[in-house]
Amino acid sequence: MWIAHCRFRDLDGVTRRVERITPPGVPDEYGARAEEALRDAIVGRRPPGTGTVSGTTTLGDLLTRYIEQCRQHGELAPKSVDTYAATLDTVRPRLADIRVSEATPGLLDEILRGIRRDHGPTRERHTKVALNSVLTDAVLAGAIAANPVRELRRRRQRKTEAKGAPALGVDQVRALLAAINGSEVCEQKDLRDPVVLLAATGLRRSELLALRWEDVDLDECVATVSGSVVRLKGAGLVRQDTTKGGGGRAIPLPQFAVDALHRRKGEQPRTTTAGVIFPSSTGTLRDPDNFGKQWREVRESLGLPDVSSHSFRKTVATLIDDSGLSARIGADQLGHARPSMTQDVYMSRGRVHTEVAAVLDRAIGISDE
């Protein structure tokens, strides 16, 4: 029997000593394999041979598996999977060669900061979600003791990075709808009725363009939001039977929206092969991105150059808030899974609430008399 010594430095900077013991008559290659397995076990902090992930598995491999599993298991909508795949393709060079055992909180934080700087907070967030998932799998496989992503602080979004779509006041909405009804350009581009419905409901563009006449009950003044129009890689535009928020929902229609739909239904029928209320000019599904582009081309002439289609969602949320209705009602209307999303992102903040001063005056006001 003989002993071969090998020294190497692990991630914590501690020198480990690996001894390879090869009994007499046993080929040295077997000892080499044993040494390699022991080395992986020390670096990966796990017993050899447990789980499907080891300490030497690279993040690049895990992220590739993550996208494949998302497509196979259907845990995310196809459009969401395409979005995550595009993000991970963009940031892959930063992560591809990093081993699971090397993924310390400090290193991941530095990488995510770089992604935020170069590609924006959305891609940073998508990358962080994917890393959290694959490193949780690594913990369950025994490859690492704890998920380093859980150690990262949540980065607050600066005001300058926040979504800039402003909420509109009631008078602005009234003026805008009047301008749209009198605009020949909006009529030509078929923007009048869709924008009226956006202002009346706060729907997402993808949801609005997926509405079918069978989804609308004009007598009961209710619309059922049951799908969305999305562009999928390799498939083009499709109407999927799900929304960004998950399942469908029924929303009430104000009278001015019902009037607009009655008017549209009574007009000369538009040729459509897609079965939707708002098709493209050729009768197919209408691309939400093209719709947004058309709106950007006309909004300045209407006097509201900063108003995006997303502004109407914030407007509806703010009006719900101003009326004293709960965030739960707002979430149900807008299709949010959590009322906190409605409160934090869509309901306007930073306004002057004069009623607070009135309450304080009544409670502790000091009179000069």
Side-chain angles (χ1 to χ4, degrees):
M1 179 182 297
W2 56 272
I3 297 177
H5 300 284
C6 175
R7 299 175 72 87
F8 68 99
R9 190 172 297 276
D10 76 354
L11 295 174
D12 298 323
V14 178
T15 300
R16 300 283 183 177
R17 182 182 182 89
V18 175
E19 295 184 348
R20 187 172 74 200
I21 304 174
T22 305
V26 175
D28 189 50
E29 61 180 295
Y30 294 142
R33 292 177 188 174
E35 176 190 337
E36 183 178 358
L38 184 56
R39 186 189 300 261
D40 289 347
I42 292 175
V43 174
R45 301 292 198 278
R46 70 183 194 79
T50 61
T52 58
V53 183
S54 73
T56 57
T57 305
T58 65
L59 294 182
D61 289 341
L62 289 183
L63 292 173
T64 298
R65 290 187 218 171
Y66 172 75
I67 295 299
E68 293 172 352
Q69 290 171 354
C70 286
R71 294 195 190 281
Q72 292 172 1
H73 299 161
E75 295 176 358
L76 294 176
K79 177 64 175 178
S80 297
V81 178
D82 287 345
T83 300
Y84 275 85
T87 292
L88 296 180
D89 284 344
T90 300
V91 305
R92 189 174 300 279
R94 301 171 188 256
L95 298 162
D97 297 328
I98 298 174
R99 297 184 297 182
V100 167
S101 58
E102 296 172 339
T104 61
L107 177 60
L108 294 183
D109 185 65
E110 182 180 352
I111 291 172
L112 289 171
R113 285 178 182 275
I115 292 171
R116 186 185 188 90
R117 181 188 64 244
D118 298 336
H119 304 291
T122 299
R123 285 200 159 163
E124 179 204 23
R125 184 174 66 254
H126 290 166
T127 304
K128 187 175 180 180
V129 168
L131 285 173
N132 183 57
S133 178
V134 300
L135 290 173
T136 295
D137 290 342
V139 171
L140 295 176
I144 50 178
N147 185 344
V149 176
R150 300 291 178 88
E151 303 298 322
L152 303 181
R153 291 183 179 178
R154 182 179 178 182
R155 250 188 288 281
R156 290 191 174 185
Q157 194 176 44
R158 296 178 181 177
K159 289 184 178 181
T160 55
E161 295 176 335
K163 294 180 180 179
L168 303 177
V170 174
D171 292 339
Q172 287 178 305
V173 175
R174 288 175 178 161
L176 175 60
L177 295 182
I180 287 174
N181 284 323
S183 170
E184 292 184 6
V185 176
C186 288
E187 178 67 24
Q188 293 169 0
K189 293 180 179 292
D190 191 19
L191 290 172
R192 181 191 62 189
D193 295 338
V195 172
V196 168
L197 263 290
L198 287 178
T201 61
L203 290 176
R204 302 177 178 93
R205 288 178 303 182
S206 60
E207 297 170 339
L208 172 78
L209 300 179
L211 275 181
R212 304 163 298 189
W213 284 114
E214 64 201 69
D215 298 324
V216 178
D217 187 333
L218 296 180
D219 294 329
E220 296 296 328
C221 301
V222 173
T224 301
V225 185
S226 60
S228 57
V229 174
V230 297
R231 183 176 293 279
L232 300 180
K233 188 175 181 180
L237 280 179
V238 298
R239 184 191 185 279
Q240 61 182 13
D241 295 329
T242 183
T243 67
K244 185 177 180 181
R249 65 190 188 280
I251 59 173
L253 295 174
Q255 190 59 47
F256 71 89
V258 173
D259 292 342
L261 289 172
H262 271 303
R263 178 182 61 197
R264 188 177 185 88
K265 199 169 188 180
E267 292 174 348
Q268 183 176 355
R270 290 174 168 79
T271 303
T272 173
T273 59
V276 293
I277 299 175
F278 304 112
S280 70
S281 58
T282 59
T284 58
L285 290 173
R286 193 168 183 176
D287 190 328
D289 290 337
N290 289 344
F291 177 86
K293 181 180 179 181
Q294 290 175 321
W295 172 246
R296 289 192 295 272
E297 290 172 349
V298 304
R299 65 188 184 187
E300 188 165 358
S301 65
L302 298 174
L304 294 168
D306 298 326
V307 175
S308 70
S309 59
H310 205 73
S311 297
F312 298 111
R313 283 177 65 74
K314 287 195 172 183
T315 300
V316 170
T318 299
L319 291 175
I320 289 173
D321 190 27
D322 287 345
S323 300
L325 301 177
S326 69
R328 167 57 66 188
I329 292 176
D332 289 343
Q333 175 76 23
L334 299 178
H336 291 150
R338 299 183 305 276
S340 59
M341 167 67 80
T342 312
Q343 286 180 308
D344 295 342
V345 179
Y346 286 84
M347 290 181 170
S348 292
R349 302 296 303 276
R351 293 174 295 162
V352 177
H353 298 279
T354 56
E355 62 271 24
V356 175
V359 168
L360 291 171
D361 260 334
R362 287 195 298 270
I364 57 175
I366 300 175
S367 174
D368 290 335
E369 297 178 359

